[in-house]
Amino acid sequence: MSQIGNLTLNPSSPFFILGPCALESEEFAWQMARSLKEIAERTGIQFVFKASYDKANRTSVDSFRGPGVKEGCRILGEIGKELGLPVTTDVHTPEEAEIAAETIDFLQVPAFLCRQTDLLEACAKTGRPLNVKKGQFLAPWDVSNIAGKLQHFGCEDFYITERGSSFGYNNLVTDMRSLYWMRDMGLKVIFDATHSVQRPGGLGGTTGGDGILAPVLARAAVATGVDGVFMETHLNPEKAFSDGPNQIPLDQIEAVLVKLLAVHKAAHSE
């Protein structure tokens, strides 16, 4: 079985990566982590807490980014230690990967950086499990080259995350066939429900999205078969500092999870 921090994954059920898009403040991150831990305990899900310390590819130069790698990883590391949760966050450079690996259980490579060889090598050398977001510009079979790089650098514990493909301007579409094809290649696959409904740059200076569709696509992905599901959630998406239109309101996430577990049971029971 795979291990993420103190979480030994049961492959008979998908695990869930949940949390806000951005690490808006230390108090906010703690509030979200505690709330999601309670929900995870009630629903019985396998849970990894997520928040980003730096939104490095925002549409506008004026957009909020976050506290940065050292402060952000300190906060996430303390949350993980005190609450007994594995934590994950994005890294953007080889130097950040080395810093994050000291406190972060599960490193994540953003979609736009998924082919950056130096970054993949640095992540692999940390010894941490790794999640690589599939670029919006890649075909499912193209990820075999990403897998080949990671294996070349000695990393065997990694996941590929589907998060939609560019479909014209300011639009993404998810091809559910990619989930099957990538798993059929022997890869472990995560589905990112909330970034798959983005409309990149769709609001001019910010990214738009169709958050109402995130649970819909998540149900389809779970029915198709995935190893994990990634969903961003927020106390009040309308006031989120980043990606508000795509995030699922915190007061709705438990019902979404219960339904996803039911879909998984129905689709994959013997």
Side-chain angles (χ1 to χ4, degrees), residues 8 26 29 43 49 54 79 84 93 95 99 103 107 113 135 170 183 191-192 209 213 232 246 259 262:
T8 301
E26 185 165 359
T43 57
F49 179 68
D54 183 11
I79 287 173
T93 66
E95 293 76 20
I99 294 168
T103 55
L107 302 183
L113 300 176
N170 307 125
R183 292 186 96 206
F191 178 64
D192 181 343
L213 295 177
E232 290 183 337
N246 313 304
K259 187 167 288 188

Side-chain angles (χ1 to χ4, degrees), residues 174-185:
T174 300
D175 182 356
M176 292 295 167
R177 298 176 301 175
S178 71
L179 303 174
Y180 173 85
W181 285 329
M182 290 190 293
R183 292 186 96 206
D184 194 50
M185 292 163 57

Side-chain angles (χ1 to χ4, degrees), residues 162-202:
E162 171 61 62
R163 46 96 74 240
S165 300
S166 295
F167 192 76
Y169 299 122
N170 307 125
N171 197 26
L172 297 174
V173 168
T174 300
D175 182 356
M176 292 295 167
R177 298 176 301 175
S178 71
L179 303 174
Y180 173 85
W181 285 329
M182 290 190 293
R183 292 186 96 206
D184 194 50
M185 292 163 57
L187 301 174
K188 294 183 289 188
V189 175
I190 296 170
F191 178 64
D192 181 343
T194 43
H195 286 102
S196 290
V197 299
Q198 274 186 334
R199 292 188 179 273

Side-chain angles (χ1 to χ4, degrees), residues 49 70 101 104 126 142-143 168 172 210 227 241 250 267:
F49 179 68
K70 292 184 178 180
I104 304 302
T126 68
D142 291 336
V143 300
L172 297 174
D210 302 301
D227 299 280
F241 291 4
L250 182 63

Side-chain angles (χ1 to χ4, degrees), residues 53-54 56 65 69 89-101 107-110 113 116-124 126 130:
Y53 58 74
D54 183 11
R65 289 186 57 170
V69 59
T89 194
D90 315 83
V91 295
H92 309 89
T93 66
E95 293 76 20
E96 286 187 13
E98 186 176 347
I99 294 168
L107 302 183
Q108 180 174 289
V109 173
L113 300 176
Q116 296 297 106
T117 304
D118 290 345
L119 179 56
L120 294 175
E121 180 178 13
C123 289
T126 68
L130 181 61

